[in-house]
Amino acid sequence: MFYGLTQNVIKQIALEYTLKNNIRHNFNQEKKICEPTSLNRVLAFNRVDVNLFYGNLEKVYEKYKFGPHRIFNVDETGISGVHKPPRILAQKGRKQVGAITSGERGQNTTIVCSMSASGIQGGSQKTSFLEWLRHFAQFAKCSMEDPVLVIMDNHVTHSTLKSYTFCRENGIIAVSLPPHTSHRLQPLDVTFFSSLKSAYNIECDLYMKSHHYDKIAVRNIAELFGKAYNRVTTIEKGVKGFKFTGIYPLDRNLFGEEEFADVSLEPNSTPATTCDISVRDDNLDPIPGTSREPDPVPGTSSSAGVAGPNHDRLTPPIEKRSKEFPRIGPKKIPKRSRISSSSSEASSVEITEVFDNNATDDEDRTVQIEYTSFEELRPLPIPVPRMSTRRKKQKSTILTTTPLKSELEEKEKKKANKVLAATRNVFQEGKSKRSTRKTTKTHQKQITSIGWE
């Protein structure tokens, strides 16, 4: 009942069936699914912050001449014993389909993974980032003579004074990513973590199906994670992760301008434009049998001006010609000009010229009609001013530079002062409570002695 076949298993069975029976099939067809992206990630991925990150990489590349085997990316991710069940095939119309898991909420386990631009990868379960740095330095064999580059996000645990000191003493050059850009600039997020978690969920699902009514304990997570890690780890993913993020080889122009967010707060609105009909001939008389005042055309201004010296004479639209001049559909000719929204004109319009096929040679004329552009009908959203906060904006930095040491020392000093102040407050509160209890007991004894007397 709770051990249904997944969609991938059904596809595998169908593929094997078609191959053994020589039946034509259409497998290996992929469909793209939109990935939800938060507003913070959209706004953070802008040209200024990304260029600053690539500039920091360029500095360390020129100074240390790193090869692909000495460039690493490190990041943490969380896994749980309560896995996400895969999709299965069920009876049509059934509202609820259950899949067994080891619990409702599981204990989160942090996994630290790293990989180099040459494809070498590694993973571990460490209690702190400093402990992982010691583990990494041991296996990467880095030193002051042969340093390595480590690219990481700007989490607060990565920029501590102890981590800074250890990196400086062991030849580890650390560069942080811009905040909220790991989905585009972190190699592990781009090519590795998604497949790793999918493989881990499959291993957990297989464990639950092979161990009936047995939960996934914390002691089982390392084994399941190791199986999933060995299955999806390839050198190709490591190499492509650094290539698709523009880190190695360094490629500042990897992303097009349309992929960056426009964080400009200046409004770029375009005033609305009305369409009018203007006559190109300068010396035209009104058409017999028609009125001098034209009817308004839907979507245009209520009056039409005559392009000529005699501006007080108005010409009606072609639709109002009399029956003496039978009308044949107007013929469109190629557009003469295109006024872009970036020009000095007041609006963006597309100009199309038509002319009347029924007019004689003496009365031949060309009518110019202006149309509203698509940008005016569906304008792009304009960024609105965001509320400023006291929090200092983070950006990509070289975490092992000398000026950063004073900032970390000041941060550690403030933290120590806060801990000392909190300890004093607790001590004072405990002391005041003890004195209050002592005073209360003394007062009760006095009352008792008075009562006895």
Side-chain angles (χ1 to χ4, degrees):
M1 178 178 178
F2 292 97
Y3 303 97
L5 297 176
T6 64
Q7 187 177 7
N8 291 332
V9 174
I10 295 294
K11 288 181 180 179
Q12 184 66 29
I13 295 174
L15 177 61
E16 294 176 0
Y17 178 82
T18 55
L19 292 176
K20 289 184 178 182
N21 294 278
N22 296 323
I23 302 175
R24 294 183 61 186
H25 60 83
N26 295 321
F27 284 95
N28 299 328
Q29 292 182 349
E30 298 182 358
K31 294 182 179 180
K32 294 294 183 180
I33 300 177
C34 294
E35 180 181 357
T37 307
S38 66
L39 181 61
N40 289 335
R41 290 179 179 267
V42 172
L43 295 178
F45 193 74
N46 57 79
R47 174 61 76 180
V48 177
D49 293 342
V50 173
N51 277 346
L52 179 61
F53 168 66
Y54 286 135
N56 291 333
L57 289 179
E58 191 173 1
K59 291 178 183 178
V60 296
Y61 285 171
E62 292 178 354
K63 183 176 181 180
Y64 298 99
K65 310 296 180 183
F66 290 116
H69 63 290
R70 309 303 284 172
I71 302 175
F72 292 85
N73 174 227
V74 59
D75 192 24
E76 300 91 352
T77 187
I79 58 175
S80 173
V82 180
H83 69 287
K84 182 180 179 181
R87 293 186 178 184
I88 63 172
L89 299 180
Q91 183 180 0
K92 185 177 180 180
R94 190 170 181 178
K95 300 298 182 182
Q96 294 182 348
V97 179
I100 192 168
T101 60
S102 61
E104 296 180 356
R105 291 184 179 181
Q107 182 178 356
N108 190 61
T109 302
T110 301
I111 304 296
V112 185
C113 295
S114 63
M115 68 180 182
S116 70
S118 61
I120 301 175
Q121 303 185 15
S124 65
Q125 295 174 286
K126 297 298 180 181
T127 57
S128 66
F129 183 70
L130 181 59
E131 185 179 353
W132 178 88
L133 283 175
R134 296 192 181 101
H135 172 82
F136 172 78
Q138 179 182 356
F139 286 90
K141 301 185 183 305
C142 53
S143 62
M144 298 299 294
E145 294 76 19
D146 187 16
V148 296
L149 172 63
V150 178
I151 300 169
M152 62 187 77
D153 57 31
N154 52 8
H155 195 267
V156 63
T157 57
H158 296 167
S159 57
T160 61
L161 185 59
K162 292 182 179 179
S163 299
Y164 170 87
T165 304
F166 182 85
C167 290
R168 293 278 294 186
E169 293 176 353
N170 292 272
I172 300 177
I173 311 300
V175 177
S176 66
L177 295 165
H180 305 295
T181 59
S182 60
H183 64 296
R184 304 299 297 273
L185 298 178
Q186 181 134 255
L188 285 167
D189 281 347
V190 173
T191 60
F192 187 66
F193 276 158
S194 177
S195 58
L196 175 63
K197 291 187 176 182
S198 298
Y200 174 76
N201 286 329
I202 293 175
E203 291 295 334
C204 290
D205 189 67
L206 293 175
Y207 179 89
M208 295 301 300
K209 290 179 179 179
S210 59
H211 298 74
H212 296 287
Y213 304 111
D214 188 13
K215 294 183 178 181
I216 299 177
V218 177
R219 62 179 180 273
N220 304 125
I221 291 180
E223 179 183 359
L224 297 175
F225 173 79
K227 293 180 179 180
Y229 184 86
N230 293 331
R231 181 194 302 178
V232 301
T233 302
T234 60
I235 294 178
E236 183 182 9
K237 287 184 179 179
V239 174
K240 286 186 176 181
F242 284 84
K243 180 181 178 181
F244 292 162
T245 54
I247 295 177
Y248 189 88
L250 185 62
D251 188 3
R252 287 176 172 266
N253 301 319
L254 177 65
F255 304 102
E257 290 296 334
E258 68 279 359
E259 301 183 66
F260 293 100
D262 184 11
V263 295
S264 175
L265 299 182
E266 296 181 1
N268 191 19
S269 59
T270 303
T273 305
T274 57
C275 301
D276 57 1
I277 300 177
S278 58
V279 182
R280 299 289 300 275
D281 201 336
D282 295 338
N283 299 311
L284 292 178
D285 293 330
I287 301 175
T290 59
S291 172
R292 288 181 176 270
E293 293 292 335
D295 295 334
V297 180
T300 63
S301 59
S302 59
S303 63
V306 180
N310 196 3
H311 294 281
D312 58 340
R313 301 176 65 182
L314 303 179
T315 304
I318 298 177
E319 287 78 354
K320 293 299 182 177
R321 290 181 181 272
S322 66
K323 294 183 179 180
E324 298 178 4
F325 297 88
R327 177 179 177 103
I328 302 177
K331 178 182 178 182
K332 293 185 178 180
I333 65 175
K335 61 184 180 181
R336 175 168 295 185
S337 62
R338 169 79 176 177
I339 306 176
S340 63
S341 58
S342 61
S343 63
S344 58
E345 295 293 333
S347 63
S348 173
V349 295
E350 184 175 350
I351 301 176
T352 303
E353 293 181 347
V354 298
F355 60 89
D356 186 12
N357 294 328
N358 298 320
T360 63
D361 293 339
D362 297 337
E363 297 178 343
D364 189 17
R365 56 177 159 174
T366 302
V367 180
Q368 177 177 304
I369 304 177
E370 296 180 355
Y371 292 95
T372 303
S373 64
F374 287 107
E375 289 82 359
E376 293 176 344
L377 296 177
R378 290 293 183 271
L380 295 175
I382 301 174
V384 296
R386 305 181 67 186
M387 295 180 62
S388 60
T389 59
R390 295 182 180 180
R391 185 177 180 181
K392 184 180 179 180
K393 182 181 177 181
Q394 294 180 326
K395 57 184 180 180
S396 173
T397 56
I398 302 176
L399 299 177
T400 51
T401 55
T402 304
L404 188 63
K405 182 178 180 180
S406 58
E407 296 182 9
L408 295 176
E409 290 176 345
E410 184 67 22
K411 186 185 298 185
E412 290 291 334
K413 185 177 179 181
K414 290 182 179 180
K415 184 177 179 180
N417 291 335
K418 285 184 179 180
V419 173
L420 181 60
T423 305
R424 289 178 178 175
N425 291 335
V426 172
F427 178 76
Q428 292 294 335
E429 289 178 0
K431 187 176 180 180
S432 60
K433 288 181 180 179
R434 287 194 300 269
S435 62
T436 302
R437 288 196 297 268
K438 185 176 181 181
T439 304
T440 303
K441 290 181 180 180
T442 304
H443 185 64
Q444 289 177 352
K445 288 182 179 180
Q446 292 177 355
I447 295 176
T448 304
S449 62
I450 293 174
W452 282 105
E453 291 176 356

